[in-house]
């Protein structure tokens, strides 16, 4: 059976304890994984700190860093089939989707970061006054801790690690123990591409113990976290002990608004796509669906009809649209939300029938569409992280914007309309880090991704991606010495 080790200082490291890596599609143990503890955190942070001090990576010219990063992208692309299958087996992403989410997006985004590195300005001169010239220097921060969940393991590892590495930092990445393989592949290809040992390390371990130790570690200077809002609060509190920089990519409850003039074929399929990608286990899913009352009935009928055509099944099968949830805890949590929707009086407009031949050990939850939902129900306010949507009718555009903005989350929103003036006005008024117009889940290297309100802060991707992993230093040079002489009333001889 495959065994995964930790990756510290360029070497595979094993520990006494192991995790089983379990496939959610059939419950089989597909690999074992070294379980890290605080000793491995310390070793990884020390390796990262030593590499930051003396590996020469932070002095490497930007175009050479970019070349290393590009070579890593090439290597991942060359292993596309293997990686998408691994992702599918580890977390149940339908393999057709995994080709995009676990290979296509990561490769595109790594290449974007390499291009950004080539254009990255480390030293920007500026005139301060008269004979005083300033330089704004962007320096790497030091050791950066990245913490990622299991839903898009390689993509999120890339977002956290590549810009940080491009800026000259060293990274300790805590992978989720359920989905370790792809972060380890990234470590392997970066090493082969020429990244010095210690610059990128991968550890695992229990979230509270190992994640807690990592985020509090005195030598870690920045923590970049993706996960739930609840854990994010703990991570922020731990990082605050030593006043560390933090990036928080947290939960979401995306508002999806369909206007009466929308192209209905597009809006129906797009709204399914918005809440059902990866069986709804995406932070930026569109799970609050607001449909104008004049088209509400027709829209719901069409949504149900199209949902019933989706194929639920083995995630490694190319024809599968919807796979299982991650594990039993996740399945029971989502089932609890479906029960609460029923108890609160929402109507189940659709609940998929699970095919009889599904593997009984799989973590299946049927895609579920709720109507007659009110804004106060738990299914409308809380992040479910499963294949469930709440559909609500609206009459007035101002009222729907106000309703959309009542959420404490603010990661994503979307609008379906053929009137781009209205679309742009809504994009302006919706409180979210990303607003999609006639689209959903389009994640581009060029566009910053992140949240507002309790969905977090800080941005990944976009033109400032590398800058997020730097400190600005101001350097002022007085060529004349005039100001210093004047300070104590000295006169020029
Ligand atoms: P989680 O918060 O339970 O875990 C995320 C990671 O944090 C895991 O690696 C876990 O081991 C680690 N962790 C747990 N406790 C910790 C602690 N005390 N200190 C440090 N690290 C700790 O999240 P999850 O349930 O695994 O993932 C789903 C959540 O992630 C959802 O809420 C989803 O919305 C969110 N998410 C957000 C984004 C985004 O970009 N905004 C992307 C994907 C997922």
């Amino acid at each position: 059976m495959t065994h995964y080790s930790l990756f510290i200082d360029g070497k595979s490291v094993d520990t006494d304890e192991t995790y089983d890596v379990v496939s959610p599609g059939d419950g089989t143990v597909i690999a074992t994984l070294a379980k890290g503890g605080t000793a491995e955190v310390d070793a990884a942070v020390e390796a990262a700190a030593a590499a930051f001090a003396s590996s020469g990576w932070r002095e490497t010219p930007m175009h050479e860093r970019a070349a290393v990063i590009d070579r890593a992208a090439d290597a991942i692309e060359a292993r596309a089939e293997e990686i998408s299958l691994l992702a599918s087996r580890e977390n149940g992403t339908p393999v057709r989707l995994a080709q995009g989410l676990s290979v296509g997006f990561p490769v595109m985004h790594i290449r974007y970061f390499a291009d950004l590195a080539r254009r990255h300005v480390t030293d920007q001169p500026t005139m301060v006054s008269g004979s005083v010239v300033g330089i704004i220097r962007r320096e790497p921060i030091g050791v950066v801790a990245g913490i990622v969940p299991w839903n898009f393991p390689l993509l999120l590892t890339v977002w956290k690690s590549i810009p940080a590495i491009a800026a000259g930092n060293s990274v300790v990445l805590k992978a989720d123990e359920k989905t370790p393989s792809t972060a380890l592949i990234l470590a392997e290809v970066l090493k082969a591409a020429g990244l010095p040992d210690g610059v990128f390390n991968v550890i695992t371990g229990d979230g509270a113990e190992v994640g807690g130790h990592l985020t509090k570690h005195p030598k870690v200077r920045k923590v970049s976290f993706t996960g739930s809002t609840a854990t994010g609060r703990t991570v922020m509190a731990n990082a605050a002990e030593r006043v560390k920089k933090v990036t928080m990519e947290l939960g979401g409850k995306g508002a999806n608004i369909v206007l009466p003039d929308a192209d209905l074929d597009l809006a129906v399929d797009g709204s399914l796509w918005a809440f059902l990608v990866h069986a709804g286990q995406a932070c930026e899913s569109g799970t609050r669906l607001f449909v104008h009352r004049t088209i509400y009935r027709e829209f719901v009928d069409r949504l149900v009809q199209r949902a019933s055509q989706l194929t639920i099944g083995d995630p490694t099968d190319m024809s599968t649209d919807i796979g299982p949830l991650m594990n039993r805890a996740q399945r029971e949590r989502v089932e609890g939300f479906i029960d609460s929707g029923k108890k609160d009086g929402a109507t189940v407009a659709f609940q998929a029938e699970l095919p009889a031949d599904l593997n009984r050990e799989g973590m299946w939850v049927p895609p579920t569409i709720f109507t007659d939902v009110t804004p106060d129900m738990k299914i409308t306010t809380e992040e479910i992280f499963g294949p469930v949507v709440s559909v609500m009718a609206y009459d007035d555009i101002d009222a729907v914007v106000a309703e959309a903005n009542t959420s404490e989350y603010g990661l994503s929103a979307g609008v379906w309309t053929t009137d781009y003036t209205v679309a742009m006005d809504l994009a302006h008024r919706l409180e979210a880090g990303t607003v999609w117009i006639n689209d959903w889940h389009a994640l581009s290297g060029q566009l910053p991704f992140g949240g507002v309100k309790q969905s977090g802060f800080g941005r990944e991707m976009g033109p400032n991606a590398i800058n997020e992993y730097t400190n600005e230093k101001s350097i002022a040079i007085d060529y004349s010495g005039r100001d210093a002489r004047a300070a104590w009333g000295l006169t020029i001889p």
Side-chain angles (χ1 to χ4, degrees), residues 147-151 156 174 176 207-208 211-212 225-228 231 234-235 249-251 283 383 385 411 449:
I147 300 177
V148 293
W150 44 264
N151 60 338
L156 300 176
K174 196 203 83 60
D176 193 291
F225 173 79
T226 296
S228 61
T231 308
T234 308
V235 170
E249 299 287 6
L250 309 175
C283 51
E383 183 183 47
F385 224 56
L411 193 57
F449 180 78

Side-chain angles (χ1 to χ4, degrees), residues 84-140:
S84 41
L85 196 57
L86 270 173
S88 176
R89 294 190 74 203
E90 269 180 19
N91 74 3
T93 318
V95 68
R96 206 176 66 236
L97 187 65
Q99 291 176 335
L101 289 172
S102 305
V103 182
F105 274 1
V107 167
M108 265 194 301
H109 299 167
I110 296 173
R111 293 213 169 107
Y112 173 77
F113 295 138
D115 281 348
L116 202 58
R118 288 191 184 90
R119 290 179 277 124
H120 183 62
V121 178
T122 51
D123 290 88
Q124 190 186 334
T126 178
M127 194 194 94
V128 178
S129 69
S131 61
V132 181
V133 170
I135 296 172
I136 304 165
R137 170 165 291 182
R138 284 199 172 270
E139 296 183 331

